[in-house]
């Protein structure tokens, strides 16, 4: 029987600047050795017409992400969400976050392994 | 939140070693059994509102790092040999007192240089020690002092006080405060968001504002994050910012997009310039016994000259109509007639030398983009300009800044909500005296200052910047002219790997000195060349104050590590030994005096955490020049010689420099060096920021190094293709000064004609002793940047626009 998924991470990648606070916040929270961690920032550079390009940074929850269960149980935000410098990450119930997806473009909803 | 039985949470403020930046972020340090186990952003702090950057989040790896220096070290081998002996603090203080004491006796106190890097709060304590010792030679070790101080000094030259982007940082409730307005447009000028926080602006505030509707004009040769999201992106050739600013002025003035009332009332536009001498007409030119500090305007009503009394900040006669433009004639004291014109006419003539067609050729920015961006900026009410360090890093920094400052003044964006707001130290409490400020830490007498290197040559160093001029100082170590330099105190300063241009010269200079002390947290290429190395602390291991703009904050000690001592305590002990009149008994007494204008004691500030100046205080916005809050005499106006915004700078005239904003081609560009271009066909720009490093720091922190493991050179795909370079290849970057290697990152971020390299690279994992010096000669790009090309006023340096060639490293 498939697992029931309840919570997720909403990323507004229009505003992610690639500061890596999420990645190090996770490393600190779980004392991951360098090379491991629950969230990775992906960089995408898309060439556009007229010599332009669009830079996208995208925090991606890895196989090690547990959606910060020990924190959320205490009513705290996940470490990555709390420290995000651009305030472009949100934790919540999938159905609530899914509704937010319709409010603006350049968003993605992750439902990690958890 | 508290978990373990001994867990304690200490609320404090970031600044200095640790994250390294100019921060000001509120943090909660989780301490267990005297050790830092976690650090988080303080959600109640108005500055960062709970957020925190990667460098600060890695603090546990920094504080508890196995390579932390924890005891004082004394050199036992040759300089650079890497042989050290641990000594006690008492031995270290005695040794330093004896050696520096002997130099002072034999050569005078000025023969010791007190050198800082991005000193943060430590800058104040370096000054405290230097001044107690009696040396005026406090030096920021970057060529041309080219970081921030030049911008401050140049803005003060125009308008008497410095200015920064208004992101509502003056209000506890920030953007929600009803007095605040969100800027319609922000010009992000040479500034890359994820990595930096210049001007004590938390970079991501601009992201907050973008979400509230602010449009971005990005001015950057790189396709920065901002550029890729900008309404207008102007990809200018590095170093041509001054020309672009002049073109903006050209569009704004010729299309009548400027605030005429402001120009007439608050600038020196109507002040007359003599056509015969090219200088400001002064009252002393017209009247026997008239003041040379007073200026003159032409009254169109009486058709006669009227004196502007600079001290009264008013005209000497009422009901006049000063001419803004035009040419007139006045009678001088000797009876001769002299033709005169207004400063506005001279200013506009200068601006008209920069039509958009010409500036497009200089900057490589299409004409249409220049015009549209200038209009967007001028028509957005309010609009703000936020700039980065490339503005300082060019020899003609001051005329460039004059032009940019004129932009915000002429468009009605000075000290208005959402514009460029005058930035003062909260409560006017000054710990570290940036240009123009004077705090409680100062030299005992003017005579002590007489031997400060460069102060005689350079006006801004006499008027605003209390530092030795770096290029002249390095030179003087070799020439010993006009006096020998015998010792150096290096604190928060790593010229061999970070802040020094031509770093091999710095090595040679350090070796020439009789005695060198370095204060740092880890061994690095510079500490290797010292005689004594003292272990300093991070911000979590000390008490201090942060009084840089707003709010006023305390830094509160949370832990101790080994025998490390806070910089202030090290310097305090030595200052007491060197100065029999040193008047503070302990550091809290000093803090109390520094923050006295706030009405708080340090203990009270620690309890509050932070404090905002109230409405009506000179360090609280807005429109202070109208309310008489800027000048010490309480009169409306500015703290400039004329009391007005000086479009035509009387200070620059006094220093025999061009008084009006203009553009100068930098020394090593394809335009100024067409011959060199044949050998070195690419523009080399340096200082690519990484979000996980602060300058030369943090390469030894595993969580951070993992993210940015190698020194990077950004190169355009077409350029890489021509050089047969693949992504990730090691590449030599070479020019007439040397070569070093970088890992190619093939990216559209840079244009075809330019490569961009990171700075501050050394390899803490490699051998520390010479010749390796932690591998610093491999990738330290400063080997390719010359010292000695500071601007005419001693400021600025060509760090962002040199020439180079690139080729693959043969394995």
């Amino acid at each position: 029987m498939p697992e029931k998924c309840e919570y997720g991470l909403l990323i507004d990648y229009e505003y992610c600047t690639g500061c890596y606070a999420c990645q190090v916040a996770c490393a600190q929270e779980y004392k991951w050795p360098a090379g491991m961690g629950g969230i990775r920032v992906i960089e995408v550079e898309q060439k556009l017409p007229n010599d332009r390009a669009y830079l996208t940074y995208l925090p991606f929850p890895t196989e090690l992400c547990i959606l910060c269960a020990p924190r959320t149980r205490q009513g705290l935000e996940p470490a990555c969400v709390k420290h995000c410098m651009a305030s472009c990450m949100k934790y919540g119930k999938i159905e609530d976050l899914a509704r937010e997806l319709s409010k603006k473009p350049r968003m993605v909803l992750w439902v990690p392994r958890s | 939140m508290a978990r373990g039985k001994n867990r304690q949470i200490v609320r404090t403020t970031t600044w200095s070693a640790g994250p390294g930046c100019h921060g000001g972020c509120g943090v909660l340090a989780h301490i267990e059994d005297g050790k830092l186990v976690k650090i988080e952003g303080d959600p109640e702090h108005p500055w960062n509102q709970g957020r925190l950057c990667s460098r600060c989040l890695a603090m546990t790896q920094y504080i508890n790092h196995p390579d932390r220096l924890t005891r004082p070290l004394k050199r036992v081998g040759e300089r650079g040999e890497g042989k050290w002996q641990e000594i006690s603090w008492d031995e270290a203080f005695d040794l330093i007192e004896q050696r520096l004491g002997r130099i002072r006796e034999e050569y005078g106190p000025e023969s010791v240089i007190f050198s800082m890097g991005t000193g943060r709060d430590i800058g104040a304590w370096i000054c405290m020690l230097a001044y107690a010792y009696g040396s005026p030679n406090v030096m920021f070790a970057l060529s041309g002092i080219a970081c921030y101080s030049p911008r401050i000094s140049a803005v003060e030259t125009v308008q008497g006080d410095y200015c920064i982007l208004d992101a509502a940082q003056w209000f506890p409730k920030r953007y929600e405060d009803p007095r605040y307005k969100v800027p319609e447009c922000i010009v992000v000028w040479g500034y890359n968001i994820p990595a930096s926080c210049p001007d004590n602006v938390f970079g991501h505030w601009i992201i907050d504002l973008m979400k509230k509707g602010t449009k971005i004009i990005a001015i950057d040769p790189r396709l920065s994050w901002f550029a890729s999201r900008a309404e207008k992106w102007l990809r200018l050739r590095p170093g041509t910012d001054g020309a672009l600013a002049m073109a903006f002025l050209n569009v704004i003035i010729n299309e009548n997009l400027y605030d005429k009332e402001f120009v007439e009332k608050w600038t020196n536009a109507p002040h007359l310039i003599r056509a015969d001498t090219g200088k400001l007409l002064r009252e002393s030119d017209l009247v026997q016994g008239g003041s040379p500090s007073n200026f003159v305007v032409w009254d169109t009503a009486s058709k006669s000259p009227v004196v502007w009394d600079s001290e009264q900040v008013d005209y000497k006669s009422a009901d006049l109509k000063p001419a803004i433009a035009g040419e007139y004639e006045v009678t001088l004291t000797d009876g001769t007639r002299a033709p005169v014109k207004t400063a506005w006419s001279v200013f506009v003539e200068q601006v008209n030398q920069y039509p958009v067609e010409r500036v497009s050729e200089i900057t490589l920015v299409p004409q249409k983009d220049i015009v549209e961006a200038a209009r967007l900026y001028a028509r957005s009410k309010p609009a703000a300009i936020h700039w980065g360090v490339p503005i300082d890093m060019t020899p003609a920094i001051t005329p460039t800044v004059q032009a940019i400052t004129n932009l915000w003044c002429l468009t009605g964006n000075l000290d208005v909500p959402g514009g460029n707001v005058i930035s003062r130290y909260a409560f006017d409490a000054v710990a570290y005296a940036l240009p123009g400020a004077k705090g409680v830490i100062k030299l005992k007498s003017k005579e002590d200052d007489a031997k400060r290197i460069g102060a005689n040559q350079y006006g801004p160093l006499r008027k605003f910047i209390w530092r030795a001029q770096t290029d002249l100082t390095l030179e003087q170590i070799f020439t010993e002219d006009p006096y020998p330099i015998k010792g150096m105190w290096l604190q928060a300063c790593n010229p061999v790997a970070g802040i020094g241009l031509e770093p091999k010269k710095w090595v040679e200079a350090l070796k020439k000195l009789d005695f060198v002390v370095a204060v740092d947290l880890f061994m690095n290429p510079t500490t290797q060349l010292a005689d004594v190395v003292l272990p300093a602390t991070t911000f979590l291991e000390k008490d201090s104050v942060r009084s840089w703009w707003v709010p006023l904050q305390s830094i509160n000690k949370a832990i101790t590590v080994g025998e490390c001592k806070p910089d202030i305590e090290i310097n305090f002990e030595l200052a007491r030994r060197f100065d029999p009149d040193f008047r503070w008994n302990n550091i809290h007494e000093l803090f109390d005096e520094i923050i006295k204008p706030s009405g708080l004691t340090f203990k009270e500030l620690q309890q509050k955490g932070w404090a905002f100046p109230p409405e009506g205080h000179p360090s609280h916005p807005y429109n202070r020049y109208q309310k008489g809050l800027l000048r010490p005499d309480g009169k409306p106006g500015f703290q400039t010689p004329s009391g007005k915004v000086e479009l035509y700078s009387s200070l620059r005239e006094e220093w025999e420099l061009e008084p009006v904003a203009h553009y100068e081609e930098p020394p090593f560009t394809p335009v100024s060096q067409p011959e060199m271009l044949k050998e070195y066909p690419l523009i080399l720009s340096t200082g690519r920021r990484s979000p996980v490093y602060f300058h030369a720091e943090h390469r030894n922190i595993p969580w951070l190094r993992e993210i940015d493991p190698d020194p990077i050179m950004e190169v355009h795909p077409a350029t890489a293709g021509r050089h047969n370079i693949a992504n990730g290849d090691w590449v030599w970057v070479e020019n007439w000064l040397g070569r070093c290697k970088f890992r190619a990152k093939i990216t559209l971020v840079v244009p075809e004609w330019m490569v961009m390299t990171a700075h501050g690279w050394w390899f803490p994992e490699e051998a520390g002793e010479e010749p390796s010096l932690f591998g610093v000669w491999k990738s330290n790009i400063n080997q390719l940047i010359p010292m000695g090309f500071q601007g005419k006023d001693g400021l600025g340096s060509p760090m962002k626009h040199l020439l180079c060639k690139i080729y693959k490293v043969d394995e």
Side-chain angles (χ1 to χ4, degrees), chain B residues 417-624:
Chain B
N420 281 86
V421 172
I422 284 170
S423 46
R424 287 238 175 137
Y425 297 89
F427 303 95
D428 287 331
V430 180
Y432 174 48
L434 283 166
K438 290 187 178 109
V440 300
I441 293 164
K442 47 191 166 214
L443 272 170
K444 281 187 192 159
S445 69
K446 275 203 164 142
E447 291 74 64
D448 285 354
D449 198 37
K451 290 189 169 166
R452 181 156 53 91
I453 298 167
N456 291 331
Q457 285 98 312
Y458 298 125
L461 270 67
R462 290 193 297 279
K463 179 77 185 168
F464 298 116
I465 302 179
W466 327 123
R467 298 286 164 269
Q469 206 285 342
T470 314
D471 303 81
L472 299 187
T473 305
L474 185 64
E475 203 56 40
Q476 189 171 328
I477 291 175
F478 297 108
T479 63
E480 307 198 345
D481 179 30
Y483 54 83
I485 306 296
K486 291 291 174 185
M488 194 177 288
W489 175 273
L490 292 144
Q491 193 164 20
C493 186
N494 183 0
V496 180
I499 197 169
L501 305 186
E502 292 194 70
K504 283 183 176 150
K505 252 190 204 170
W506 285 90
V507 171
E508 211 185 316
L510 290 173
K511 286 187 173 173
K512 191 171 177 297
L513 301 174
D514 289 352
F515 190 60
V516 177
V517 182
V519 187
D520 224 306
L521 291 94
F522 296 96
M523 288 306 266
N524 65 42
T526 302
T527 57
Q528 286 293 344
L529 300 161
D531 298 297
V532 177
V533 181
L534 303 176
T537 63
T538 68
F539 75 96
L540 287 171
E541 303 154 57
K542 69 179 182 185
D543 281 345
S544 193
V545 287
R546 185 170 190 281
S547 72
W548 191 340
W549 315 151
V550 289
L552 179 64
Q553 291 162 285
S554 67
I555 300 174
N556 308 317
K557 185 171 180 170
I559 48 169
T560 51
V561 175
E563 291 182 25
C564 300
K565 271 188 198 291
D567 298 79
I568 183 169
E569 288 179 22
I570 297 169
N571 295 18
F572 201 89
E573 171 61 26
L574 285 167
R576 268 210 303 219
R577 291 180 182 221
F578 285 124
D579 181 4
D581 304 324
F582 193 68
R583 60 198 173 91
W584 298 286
N585 293 303
N586 56 60
I587 60 169
H588 283 202
E589 217 178 275
L590 170 62
F591 297 156
D592 282 344
E593 190 172 331
I594 289 170
I595 68 166
K596 201 173 171 194
S598 69
L600 297 167
T601 64
F602 182 67
K603 280 268 171 278
E604 287 165 344
L605 180 62
Q606 281 189 302
Q607 276 153 19
K608 283 172 76 95
W610 57 86
F612 285 91
E615 182 92 44
H617 192 277
S619 56
H620 180 99
Y622 295 103
N623 299 312
R624 279 160 282 185

Side-chain angles (χ1 to χ4, degrees), chain A residues 13-14 16-17 21 23-24 27-29 32 35 40 43 45 52-55 71 82-87, chain B residues 38-41 50-54 57 194 204 207 211 223 225 227-229 691 703 706-707 745 747-748:
Chain A
Y13 61 83
E14 182 175 359
C16 175
T17 61
Q23 203 168 307
V24 182
Q28 175 187 234
E29 190 70 26
W32 290 114
R40 295 270 145 199
E43 186 179 349
E45 186 179 301
R52 293 196 58 133
Y54 196 82
L55 298 182
R71 286 180 63 100
K82 178 191 161 24
H83 288 107
C84 174
M85 297 277 278
S87 311
Chain B
K38 183 154 67 167
I39 190 162
E40 296 208 306
R51 302 175 266 189
L52 211 53
C53 77
S54 58
L57 289 164
H204 284 76
I207 315 294
K211 291 182 188 170
L223 178 78
W225 185 90
S228 86
R229 279 150 180 77
W703 287 332
E706 174 203 354
I707 290 167
K745 178 173 181 170
T747 171
L748 297 162

Side-chain angles (χ1 to χ4, degrees), chain B residues 122-180:
Chain B
I122 301 157
W125 323 135
I126 297 172
C127 294
M128 174 183 76
L129 175 58
Y131 299 163
Y133 180 79
S135 175
N137 286 323
V138 177
M139 176 181 74
F140 175 68
L142 190 60
S143 170
I145 321 179
C147 179
Y148 204 40
S149 286
R151 260 179 291 164
I152 298 179
S153 155
V155 174
E156 288 173 345
T157 300
V158 177
Q159 59 176 52
D161 269 283
Y162 191 59
C163 243
I164 60 174
L165 159 77
D166 184 9
Q169 60 268 50
W170 337 93
F171 309 116
K173 288 189 180 159
R174 299 293 305 273
Y175 312 117
E176 310 309 319
D177 193 290
R179 289 165 289 189
Y180 181 65

Side-chain angles (χ1 to χ4, degrees), chain B residues 158 246 249 347 401-411 645-647 660-661:
Chain B
V158 177
M246 293 306 287
L249 286 168
F347 174 72
V401 169
Q402 283 178 286
I404 297 173
T405 306
N406 293 340
L407 281 170
W408 68 61
C409 288
L410 294 188
T411 51
V645 167
E646 298 199 351
L647 300 176
V660 177

